[in-house]
Amino acid sequence: MKKTLMVAALTGVCATAAHAQSSVTLYGLIDAGITYSNNQRVSATSGHSAWQATSGTVNGSRWGLRGAEDLGGGLKAIFTLENGFNIDNGNLGQKGRMFGRQAFVGLASDQYGAVTLGRQYDSVVDYLAPLSNTGTQYGGTIAAHPFDNDNLNNSVRFNNTVKYSSVNYAGFKFGGTYSFSNSTEFANNRAYSVGATYNYAGLNFAAAYLHANNNINNQQFNSATFSGAQAGDYTFGAARQSTFGGGVNYTFGPATAGFVYSQTQLGNAIGISPTQSGTANGINLHGNSVRFQNFEGNIRYALTPALSLAGAYTYTRANFGGGVNPNYNTVALQTDYALSKRTDVYLQGDWQHISSNSANIGPYLNGLTSASATQDQVAVTVGMRHRF
């Protein structure tokens, strides 16, 4: 019996040594709150205020597994599996996918960078979004540019993606993605992107470009089971989407101020996803002249190590085609208090006003149940986040 126990113990020690250079981490974030909003549309001409229990008002609730195995010579095998969910009802996010936020595996080199394959973020999300208010913990989901038209809030992930991410070259990093259509129609429902960022002293510059193709005639990209690059979590029903932008942030002491510009041009556009517009039938778009331009200024300030203030203003100039040219003014304000390194509470207020020729299209704050029945919409959220 003693010999058996000794052999078992030695076997465990050997197994531990063999896997000493490997690691798997369970991580996650839960964002839950209560949101008040006014003017939520109940008909074409009327709206009511609403109180809602909300999940992911700032950061989408998620849990994931992240792992690495040291292969020697500065080379590692890496993987990430990340699930999105609604904390209020336990439902899966991203159209019911088990690992809808991210799912990839690849190789990472200390000298040459990383190549990964799977469902992944594009370069706009990787490089430009961190300079914006919506792409950070200081504004997040509800502070997205109208309909998240530039994907800075990561509404769309891409399937079948090969991604390259460089190492840090004295503050300069770059990368790109290619997302396969997985079809004999090679160019249909594919996507590609490139981006770069540069840090020098307190300055951070970034630029990125994303292009996506879809066959809107067969509408297959509506389905989460479709094999293409976009499947079920699209923002626009359009044959082509090109998004590009650039930004700069400057950090001085406890404050960071920034500016981000982005533009999305659509070809053969027919509509905005109902899940993005918050209305039963979505919003109609008309042809090849559809365009969104976003001009965002943002600032955040750490009053103490635990208490921070943040705000952003975005002017969005849009053209839906057919003579419909709405302009959006969006303001997001947040105060956040850290109870610990892992838990914080926040108060966030968001306001959006639509003007110009809006053709009865109301404002829409991302993540709410419906658009506004008037030219203005306000939402106030009290929430908490816990990280693990």
Side-chain angles (χ1 to χ4, degrees):
M1 182 64 179
K2 291 182 179 180
K3 290 183 179 179
T4 302
L5 291 174
M6 185 176 294
V7 171
L10 290 173
T11 301
V13 170
C14 292
T16 300
H19 295 282
Q21 302 303 313
S22 299
S23 65
V24 176
T25 303
L26 172 67
Y27 67 94
L29 181 151
I30 301 170
D31 182 334
I34 304 295
T35 299
Y36 165 82
S37 58
N38 70 341
N39 298 330
Q40 286 208 28
R41 182 174 296 176
V42 295
S43 70
T45 58
S46 65
H48 292 299
S49 60
W51 290 89
Q52 300 172 242
T54 48
S55 173
T57 299
V58 179
N59 297 118
S61 298
R62 86 265 330 235
W63 69 268
L65 296 169
R66 182 184 295 120
E69 180 189 12
D70 191 343
L71 302 177
L75 186 66
K76 296 184 293 184
I78 58 174
F79 79 89
T80 294
L81 301 172
E82 188 172 284
N83 165 283
F85 64 93
N86 186 316
I87 190 63
D88 291 325
N89 55 29
N91 288 341
L92 292 171
Q94 293 77 52
K95 299 295 182 179
R97 291 177 167 92
M98 179 177 291
F99 296 111
R101 291 182 62 88
Q102 300 183 85
F104 64 82
V105 66
L107 295 173
S109 166
D110 293 341
Q111 185 175 1
Y112 300 109
V115 176
T116 51
L117 300 92
R119 179 174 168 86
Q120 302 182 75
Y121 301 159
D122 64 83
S123 297
V124 170
V125 173
D126 287 341
Y127 297 98
L128 183 58
L131 275 64
S132 71
N133 182 257
T134 183
T136 69
Q137 64 179 347
Y138 302 101
T141 302
I142 200 169
H145 301 158
F147 313 108
D148 195 20
N149 65 79
D150 47 17
N151 207 39
L152 291 182
N153 191 244
N154 205 11
S155 293
V156 179
R157 283 88 171 171
F158 291 91
N159 301 327
N160 316 324
T161 299
V162 179
K163 175 188 286 191
Y164 171 73
S165 304
S166 78
V167 295
N168 191 328
Y169 296 101
F172 178 70
K173 295 187 291 184
F174 64 94
T177 68
Y178 186 89
S179 305
F180 288 86
S181 65
N182 276 12
S183 167
T184 54
E185 298 179 67
F186 184 79
N188 176 38
N189 205 319
R190 66 170 178 174
Y192 50 86
S193 66
V194 292
T197 183
Y198 177 67
N199 288 278
Y200 177 76
L203 283 169
N204 187 2
F205 301 92
Y209 172 78
L210 165 68
H211 182 86
N213 294 89
N214 277 305
N215 183 345
I216 60 174
N217 295 320
N218 59 30
Q219 295 286 301
Q220 287 180 311
F221 59 89
N222 283 310
S223 171
T225 61
F226 181 50
S227 62
Q230 292 185 71
D233 54 359
Y234 71 101
T235 302
F236 298 109
R240 295 174 304 281
Q241 176 179 341
S242 295
T243 297
F244 66 89
V248 58
N249 277 6
Y250 179 61
T251 299
F252 47 102
T256 299
F259 174 79
V260 172
Y261 169 80
S262 64
Q263 176 175 301
T264 292
Q265 183 81 37
L266 305 176
N268 196 14
I270 59 174
I272 300 174
S273 163
T275 58
Q276 298 299 325
S277 69
T279 60
N281 299 312
I283 294 177
N284 292 329
L285 302 176
H286 306 275
N288 293 312
S289 61
V290 177
R291 185 175 66 175
F292 295 83
Q293 288 181 291
N294 306 285
F295 305 83
E296 178 194 311
N298 59 68
I299 189 168
R300 56 183 181 265
Y301 185 85
L303 291 173
T304 71
L307 180 63
S308 67
L309 302 175
Y313 166 74
T314 302
Y315 172 69
T316 300
R317 186 165 56 197
N319 183 347
F320 288 3
V324 180
N325 305 288
N327 296 322
Y328 297 83
N329 293 274
T330 307
V331 175
L333 299 172
Q334 183 196 95
T335 180
D336 181 90
Y337 184 75
L339 301 173
S340 70
K341 291 183 178 180
R342 293 167 50 184
T343 304
D344 63 307
V345 292
Y346 63 85
L347 172 66
Q348 181 157 325
D350 298 88
W351 169 77
Q352 190 174 96
H353 173 77
I354 191 170
S355 61
S356 191
N357 181 8
S358 60
N360 296 319
I361 298 171
Y364 173 67
L365 292 171
N366 196 36
L368 296 185
T369 302
S370 65
S372 174
T374 68
Q375 288 185 292
D376 294 272
Q377 188 163 53
V378 174
V380 178
T381 301
V382 177
M384 70 171 291
R385 287 175 291 196
H386 178 72
R387 301 163 178 84
F388 60 89

